[in-house]
Amino acid sequence: MLRIAWLALVWLLAAAPFGAGAQSRQAAEAEFRQWLETRVWPDASRQGVSRATFEAATGGVVLDWSLPDLVPPGATPSPPQVNWQAEFSSPISYFAEDRIKPLESIGRGLIRQWASTLAQIEARYGVPKEIVVAIWGRESAFGRAAIPKPAIRTLATKAFMATRKDMFYPELIAALKIVQDGHIAVSDMKSSVAGALGQPQFLPSKYLAYAVDFDGDGRRDIWRSVPDTLASIANYLRQHGWQPGVHWGVEAIVPDAVPCALEGPDKRYPVSEWQRVGTTRIDGSPLPGAAGEPRHLLMPAGRFGPAFIVSGNFYVLKTYNESDLYALFIGHLADRLVADSRIHGRWATSAGLKRGDVRAMQERMIAMGYDVGAADGLVGFRTRTAIGLWQQRNGRAQTCWPDESLVKTLR
């Protein structure tokens, strides 16, 4: 009797509305099956997907209700849930030793293990082995992280009823094309909860554009083949503009007289100009690179953290993940895979601020005509440079980073 009662409760929950105005799950599943047949199948067919492949990939697929950011049919999308009361923190936690050290230790061993393959990849694509291995480690812990989701089910659910379903729909079609091409069986095609595939965590469209068969078995297998995984990462970077022989960047001593508002990809100056104003490597030696080569300033915590002089390759790393901290993490980890390298500059800890405080400051700066990127409570390079410009125009010392006094002034 208890089991019958439990099953009845499960059925009622499954049939109950999912949020205000939403259909029952049962009705949503029926609409999902119809959507697969009347919309997805015609589009997939036009892209060269056979009926046999389509049925093998989607037959029996049901919605994955455990995924985040779902808006079932008939439901009103909820605004993004952001904890604006969360503590605003320094980037220091991103570079904690307990995050980097294990990747460094394992990565060094893998560089030795795959030395021949990595040498061939570097010769073909011009991307250093340590950069490739650093991304491999950051994305999937060198293939050891669980990639648990069936990709087709995940992408179909996201394309049908995610908050950004229009973004996921072409990725679903691309995933069906991957199956059609025979590179991976549907049962082996695993993804993250966001539909990113395999060890490099490529979305399906990126897989079609950049994944390569480096082990010569006729398949581009970024799930199980280490050579295919590593070569695909290198090919991605090269196709996005990686310049062979140019290091991503170095930690630097930047004199106080150099405005921190000079940071960013849209501001570049030759190595000779950085040297002329007294900028050096952290050990005081000259900056690397020819005198006329362009370089950029990077200050991820403004004057409250270390400074770096970076090349265009740093911004190529950002195409993999649009985050200064991600790209810096990859560059720093890559350096540590081949040498005893540390970040020497001190990261000051942020105190007394909430993310909502920073957003309010950003909104005020937007109203004043400053380009902060977005009022999201996060401090990217546009917000940092906007703060520096405001400080300069108001006779304050340039820090390019919010503190409690600044936020109060600009609220």
Side-chain angles (χ1 to χ4, degrees):
M1 291 297 294
L2 286 172
R3 178 171 173 78
I4 292 172
W6 169 250
L7 291 174
L9 177 61
V10 169
W11 186 88
L12 285 170
L13 289 173
F18 190 96
Q23 298 176 354
S24 69
R25 288 193 177 188
Q26 188 176 35
E29 293 284 0
E31 185 174 329
F32 173 63
R33 294 305 310 174
Q34 183 180 31
W35 172 80
L36 285 172
E37 189 63 35
T38 60
R39 183 181 177 193
V40 179
W41 161 239
D43 286 347
S45 178
R46 282 190 287 270
Q47 293 292 320
V49 176
S50 70
R51 184 67 194 185
T53 295
F54 181 77
E55 291 181 354
T58 64
V61 168
V62 296
L63 293 165
D64 185 348
W65 296 90
S66 71
L67 295 174
D69 303 320
L70 299 183
V71 184
T76 301
S78 301
Q81 297 299 308
V82 179
N83 182 8
W84 298 112
Q85 293 304 308
E87 190 78 15
F88 176 73
S89 61
S90 163
I92 186 173
S93 60
Y94 204 91
F95 299 94
E97 277 296 301
D98 59 0
R99 299 185 69 176
I100 296 178
K101 194 65 179 177
L103 295 176
E104 176 189 352
S105 177
I106 297 170
R108 286 189 173 193
L110 290 170
I111 284 179
R112 291 191 295 270
Q113 178 181 345
W114 293 97
S116 177
T117 298
L118 286 165
Q120 294 174 53
I121 290 171
E122 188 166 346
R124 180 176 300 183
Y125 300 105
V127 181
K129 60 184 180 299
E130 62 269 21
I131 289 289
V132 174
V133 172
I135 290 177
W136 185 28
R138 184 68 179 83
E139 292 298 324
S140 65
F142 312 108
R144 303 176 186 199
I147 304 173
K149 292 293 185 179
I152 297 296
R153 184 188 184 196
T154 299
L155 290 162
T157 300
K158 290 280 196 177
F160 178 68
M161 61 176 190
T163 53
R164 296 183 294 165
K165 62 184 181 180
D166 290 345
M167 184 196 85
F168 285 101
Y169 187 79
E171 299 299 340
L172 171 61
I173 302 299
L176 292 169
K177 290 175 67 178
I178 293 171
V179 177
Q180 176 66 39
D181 291 344
H183 293 289
I184 190 75
V186 174
S187 59
D188 295 328
M189 191 177 183
K190 301 297 184 180
S191 77
S192 69
V193 295
L197 306 177
Q199 297 183 44
Q201 287 291 276
F202 282 174
L203 285 173
S205 61
K206 302 300 184 187
Y207 173 97
L208 291 175
Y210 306 112
V212 297
D213 170 23
F214 202 76
D215 61 15
D217 69 352
R219 295 178 299 171
R220 295 184 281 171
D221 187 353
I222 61 172
W223 292 267
R224 295 167 300 197
S225 170
V226 172
D228 288 4
T229 294
L230 299 177
S232 296
I233 293 170
N235 184 49
Y236 178 96
L237 296 176
R238 185 60 187 270
Q239 295 299 322
H240 281 80
W242 185 274
Q243 297 176 308
V246 178
H247 194 259
W248 70 270
V250 295
E251 189 177 0
I253 298 173
V254 179
D256 292 342
V258 176
C260 54
L262 292 179
E263 182 188 1
D266 53 343
K267 303 177 184 71
R268 60 181 189 175
Y269 302 92
V271 170
S272 59
E273 182 63 16
W274 290 113
Q275 291 176 334
R276 186 189 67 79
V277 296
T279 304
T280 68
R281 298 183 70 148
I282 194 67
D283 62 1
S285 62
L287 297 173
E293 289 183 359
R295 293 292 186 269
H296 309 261
L297 175 63
L298 172 71
M299 285 185 162
R303 288 286 181 184
F304 295 108
F308 304 84
I309 297 296
V310 301
S311 71
N313 282 342
F314 174 84
Y315 295 103
V316 175
L317 293 176
K318 281 190 67 175
T319 67
Y320 213 100
N321 182 315
E322 187 58 32
S323 162
D324 287 338
L325 296 182
Y326 174 90
L328 181 58
F329 185 96
I330 296 300
H332 176 54
L333 175 58
D335 288 349
R336 289 178 62 154
L337 291 176
V338 295
D340 184 13
S341 177
R342 295 290 186 274
I343 293 176
H344 292 83
R346 297 287 184 180
W347 302 88
T349 56
S350 300
L353 292 180
K354 300 289 189 278
R355 187 170 169 182
D357 298 328
V358 176
R359 181 180 67 160
M361 178 202 71
Q362 290 170 322
E363 290 172 341
R364 174 62 176 154
M365 296 190 78
I366 289 171
M368 296 166 62
Y370 288 93
D371 177 11
V372 302
D376 54 9
L378 305 175
V379 181
F381 80 90
R382 293 193 187 281
T383 294
R384 296 195 296 268
T385 55
I387 289 171
L389 291 173
W390 182 90
Q391 289 170 325
Q392 183 182 47
R393 291 167 184 171
N394 287 273
R396 297 188 175 211
Q398 272 196 348
T399 66
C400 297
W401 192 254
D403 57 29
E404 194 169 5
S405 171
L406 178 67
V407 167
K408 286 181 178 178
T409 301
L410 289 173
R411 280 187 70 94

